[in-house]
Amino acid sequence: MKALRFGRHAAIAVIAAGALALTSCGSDNATNTAPGGTQTAGGPKVTGTLTGIGSSAQGAAMDAWKTEFAAANPGATVQYSPDGSGAGRKALLDGSAQFGGSDAYLKDDEYATSQTVCGPDGALNIPVYISPIAVAFNLPGITDLKLDAATVAKIFRGEIANWNDPAIAALNEGVNLPDLKVTPVNRSDDSGTTTNFTDYLAAAAPEVWTDKASGVWPASLQGENAKGTSGVVKTVTDTPGAITYADDSAVGGTLGVAQIKVGESFTEISAEAAAKAVDAGTPVEGRSANDLSIKLDRKTTNEGAYPIVLVSFHVVCSTYDSQETVDLVKAFENYVVSEEGQQAAADSAKSAPLSSELAEKAAKAIDSIKVKS
């Protein structure tokens, strides 16, 4: 398949939105919805309740989207529980939520299940949010370090025990590294952020990271764990010497963030740098024509690209049992991928707005959602 190309300002993150299982696709909460979708929160009005579960990395963006959409659509409510990407995909497929937010597109077996739930074309993975994943650490007096993939992998495998280890020192000449225990902190829940982080490690440091990419952290590895993005960030903030991986929008305060080696240079984390990495992405094969799942190139050597990036999706059904649900899903999702919605996410979550090309593809995918025949 021809590779998808995204502009320099291609957006980060995606939220999986609105799919119902066999039993719940028909028993939706949407009522009195106006026909058709809308490109902004202030377009044709809809009412009803849309319930989602999923990515905690999308939390800040989702808060903004919910607020603006509800303000422009009195009587419309979007409920969202940031329980993790795995929980979001599961909720989409078992009918306990109307949409799922996921930092990883549906796996092949999940997509096969969605064809039973959502019709022959299955669920649609629609990118809505693109964000870099920060390697964040708590070292008193130090806010900037340089790390390469192999060193990051060794840290999270417990093979580097102290911060003044020669491997870290070799990458950070002139930095007074403390003789302090390294405490890696991972997500305890099934997480799309973990999927993207371990996918990077498995691709960029295969000689060290011998586990496959997964949303579930390897049980054999030692370290602390916490639930959700906010959980790992709080644990690291409270623990001198701790290090974690988390959506960049959630990292702040006294925590430092590592520059990552790409090719022969080090790249600082930013939305634009993440967009550069997404620019090298290609479509996932074997999906419907309107599915926008993206496979990232974690081994890119493009200068200025930041390869530890997540594309977060709204996963929605291609068909629903009622026109009311179709109208509400289309209205919300069209707002999310609109310039207005993407700017709201950028302002609240430091994400990059979707490129015009990707936004156009997303709008086309959303427009294809219809009532089951």
Side-chain angles (χ1 to χ4, degrees):
M1 295 178 70
K2 186 178 179 181
L4 284 173
R5 292 298 173 191
F6 310 106
R8 179 176 180 81
H9 298 289
I12 285 183
V14 194
I15 295 180
L20 302 177
L22 282 171
T23 57
S24 65
C25 273
S27 59
D28 58 85
N29 296 320
T31 58
N32 301 320
T33 52
T38 173
Q39 291 299 325
T40 70
K45 299 296 185 285
V46 292
T47 61
T49 299
L50 199 60
T51 300
I53 294 173
S55 164
S56 61
Q58 290 180 20
M62 183 58 85
D63 286 344
W65 289 329
K66 290 190 303 180
T67 300
E68 295 299 322
F69 185 73
N73 293 272
T77 302
V78 179
Q79 301 173 338
Y80 186 75
S81 182
D83 296 338
S85 295
R89 296 194 304 275
K90 181 178 183 295
L92 171 72
L93 298 177
D94 69 15
S96 58
Q98 292 180 299
F99 71 91
S102 181
D103 303 330
Y105 53 79
L106 292 177
K107 303 171 187 175
D108 288 344
D109 61 331
E110 292 172 328
Y111 177 67
T113 299
S114 78
Q115 290 176 296
T116 300
V117 174
C118 300
D121 287 338
L124 304 177
N125 296 270
I126 300 174
V128 294
Y129 174 88
I130 299 173
S131 178
I133 299 171
V135 178
F137 55 87
N138 180 348
L139 288 179
I142 300 175
T143 58
D144 187 32
L145 284 178
K146 295 180 173 66
L147 297 174
D148 58 20
T151 303
V152 173
K154 288 177 182 178
I155 288 172
F156 281 91
R157 294 196 76 84
E159 296 176 15
I160 292 179
N162 274 52
W163 279 103
N164 61 354
D165 185 279
I168 300 176
L171 298 170
N172 294 277
E173 186 176 353
V175 177
N176 186 21
L177 296 166
D179 182 8
L180 179 65
K181 177 186 175 183
V182 174
T183 302
V185 180
N186 62 268
R187 290 279 291 269
S188 61
D189 50 320
D190 186 341
S191 159
T193 308
T194 300
T195 299
N196 283 275
F197 184 62
T198 57
D199 186 51
Y200 163 73
L201 295 177
E207 70 288 349
V208 180
W209 194 265
T210 53
D211 295 280
K212 292 182 179 179
S214 174
V216 179
W217 192 256
S220 61
L221 300 183
Q222 302 284 321
E224 301 292 327
N225 63 70
K227 184 176 181 179
T229 301
S230 60
V232 295
V233 170
K234 183 179 188 305
T235 299
V236 173
T237 301
D238 294 342
T239 310
I243 184 171
T244 193
Y245 54 94
D247 186 89
D248 187 44
S249 66
V251 176
T254 60
L255 298 186
V257 174
Q259 296 182 41
I260 299 299
K261 191 172 185 181
V262 177
E264 297 303 315
S265 59
F266 290 87
T267 301
E268 292 186 2
I269 194 168
S270 71
E272 285 191 1
K276 267 196 165 185
V278 173
D279 197 48
T282 57
V284 175
E285 297 182 354
R287 306 298 170 95
S288 70
N290 288 308
D291 184 80
L292 297 177
S293 303
I294 302 167
K295 184 171 180 58
L296 300 170
D297 179 10
R298 305 295 188 180
K299 297 187 288 184
T300 181
T301 57
N302 292 350
E303 184 178 355
Y306 185 87
I308 317 178
V309 60
L310 65 81
V311 177
S312 198
F313 302 84
H314 278 180
V315 184
V316 299
C317 271
S318 55
T319 63
Y320 290 93
D321 276 357
S322 73
Q323 187 66 53
E324 288 79 12
T325 301
V326 168
D327 292 340
L328 185 57
V329 169
K330 282 187 172 183
F332 180 63
E333 293 306 322
N334 270 315
Y335 163 62
V336 167
V337 302
S338 71
E339 287 187 19
E340 180 185 350
Q342 287 297 299
Q343 189 59 52
D347 292 342
S348 63
K350 299 191 292 187
S351 62
L354 290 168
S355 68
S356 58
E357 180 182 356
L358 186 54
E360 183 178 346
K361 290 177 183 291
K364 181 181 178 181
I366 294 163
D367 188 57
S368 74
I369 299 169
K370 60 186 179 181
V371 179
K372 283 184 179 179
S373 57

